[in-house]
Amino acid sequence: MIKISSLLAAVGLAQLLAVSAYAQTEMALYPDRVPNAIQAENQETNEKGYVKNVSKPTLTAFLPAAGSGNGAAVIVCPGGGYGGLVIEREGYRVAKELNKAGTAAFVLKYRLPSDRIMKDKAIGPLQDAQQAIKTVREKAKEWQVNPAKIGIMGFSAGGHLASTAGTHYDSSFIDNPQKTSLRPDFMILVYPVISFEGKIGHKGSSANLLGASPSMERINYFSNDLQVTATTPPAYLTHAGDDTVVPVSNSIRFYEALLAKGISADMHIYSQGLHGYPKTPSFDEWFGRCLHWMRVSGFLPVQ
């Protein structure tokens, strides 16, 4: 006969293992002062997984269960037009699914550009993305991550931030005394904003990041299809052809720019899906293709 105490202990252990499979720790992104910051009241709000007015950036680590990790890591940048963060749907949920695949995930709650809290709002989110890459790479041993398999993933405006990190890594906007590489090893861009040019540019993201009347120099600098070089990381892009919020031409331009420089890239365009994939494709469909690309590209073990 099994003792009640033994049964309770077994149940407790099972619960502990279930929790540890999605162990998460939120930490301040910067150990000391936040660069490029203006002292201001914290007005952050979170309503049903949609965060606004972020002035205190954080990084939330989701680590796979002990013994199940494959060494890869992905920094996840939720979207929201640089006016908010869809942090539950495009952050925490994705991180948990990455954990199921044995991949460490780090959800970046980046500062949302605002003249109230930043000296130069255009570089604030990029600073946070660079700091996230630096942090994960410097703590790779502690988190059992391969420092050569650290990628960045972004949705919509978060895709713009991820592609900015992947094309502007050789310009450091943060303190980096150890000269840690700020280059992500790969990019996963989900219905991303890429360009701020003309008709294909997302007006809301551009206005929030660059202001109402940015110079052409700044528009070009943050139109990431124009910033691809021969050392830009490989990328996977997914988009819907009927996206009326962020035209699919954003992904197409970036894909073509990568190919022109000899960078490995993969892209899947769905005929239907709208912006955000609210009904189709299913999560398993589009996310499964991301994992497949990571496997064939050598960032995940082949099953």
Side-chain angles (χ1 to χ4, degrees):
M1 183 174 179
I2 300 174
K3 293 183 179 179
I4 295 296
S5 59
S6 299
L7 180 61
L8 289 175
V11 171
L13 178 60
Q15 289 176 336
L16 178 62
L17 290 173
V19 171
S20 67
Y22 302 109
Q24 62 189 76
T25 304
E26 185 176 23
M27 66 202 82
L29 183 61
Y30 298 92
D32 299 309
R33 66 176 186 84
V34 179
N36 184 35
I38 297 172
Q39 286 290 341
E41 178 187 2
N42 182 11
Q43 297 180 355
E44 181 178 318
T45 61
N46 186 337
E47 185 174 347
K48 298 180 179 178
Y50 184 71
V51 182
K52 297 179 69 175
N53 301 317
V54 177
S55 59
K56 296 183 181 299
T58 66
L59 193 66
T60 302
F62 288 75
L63 302 179
S68 69
N70 54 44
V74 178
I75 295 162
V76 184
C77 305
Y82 283 125
L85 299 177
V86 187
I87 203 160
E88 185 65 44
R89 185 170 182 269
E90 297 178 347
Y92 302 145
R93 180 190 180 187
V94 175
K96 291 172 183 177
E97 293 298 324
L98 284 165
N99 279 180
K100 288 180 182 178
T103 301
F106 300 85
V107 178
L108 176 60
K109 186 171 74 176
Y110 54 92
R111 284 173 291 168
L112 295 166
S114 168
D115 293 325
R116 185 182 70 86
I117 62 167
M118 296 179 198
K119 299 171 187 175
D120 182 355
K121 67 181 181 180
I123 64 169
L126 177 55
Q127 288 176 308
D128 295 350
Q130 290 188 339
Q131 180 70 16
I133 295 166
K134 173 176 173 282
T135 299
V136 175
R137 191 156 274 138
E138 290 182 353
K139 291 180 175 289
K141 185 175 181 180
E142 175 184 338
W143 286 329
Q144 297 183 353
V145 165
N146 183 336
K149 292 185 178 182
I150 298 172
I152 191 163
M153 179 179 194
F155 298 76
S156 192
H160 181 266
L161 178 56
S163 63
T164 305
T167 53
H168 295 70
Y169 63 86
D170 53 354
S171 297
S172 178
F173 293 94
I174 58 171
D175 290 336
N176 188 12
Q178 298 182 40
K179 300 191 183 303
T180 301
S181 172
L182 303 179
R183 178 185 181 273
D185 295 300
F186 58 92
M187 299 176 285
I188 299 174
L189 309 176
V190 186
Y191 38 84
V193 175
I194 293 293
S195 176
F196 289 150
E197 285 191 313
K199 293 182 179 180
I200 78 164
H202 186 246
K203 304 302 182 187
S205 296
S206 176
N208 285 333
L209 186 68
L210 306 182
S213 301
S215 67
M216 186 54 65
E217 182 181 8
R218 276 223 150 170
I219 290 172
N220 290 341
Y221 186 75
F222 286 101
S223 291
N224 294 326
D225 55 308
L226 302 179
Q227 304 302 323
V228 173
T229 70
T231 58
T232 298
Y236 178 82
L237 299 105
T238 179
H239 218 124
D242 63 353
D243 191 332
T244 58
V245 178
V246 178
V248 68
S249 46
N250 280 266
S251 284
I252 294 172
R253 275 198 188 183
F254 198 63
Y255 176 77
E256 291 178 338
L258 291 166
L259 292 190
K261 294 294 185 181
I263 306 300
S264 175
D266 199 347
M267 178 171 62
H268 189 86
I269 298 175
Y270 295 95
S271 61
Q272 299 178 43
L274 301 175
H275 191 68
Y277 297 166
K279 294 182 179 180
T280 187
S282 68
F283 183 92
D284 289 345
E285 157 61 27
W286 71 259
F287 187 73
R289 291 181 184 270
C290 295
L291 295 179
H292 172 75
W293 175 79
M294 291 175 71
R295 292 188 187 103
V296 299
S297 300
F299 298 111
L300 293 184
V302 177
Q303 291 182 330

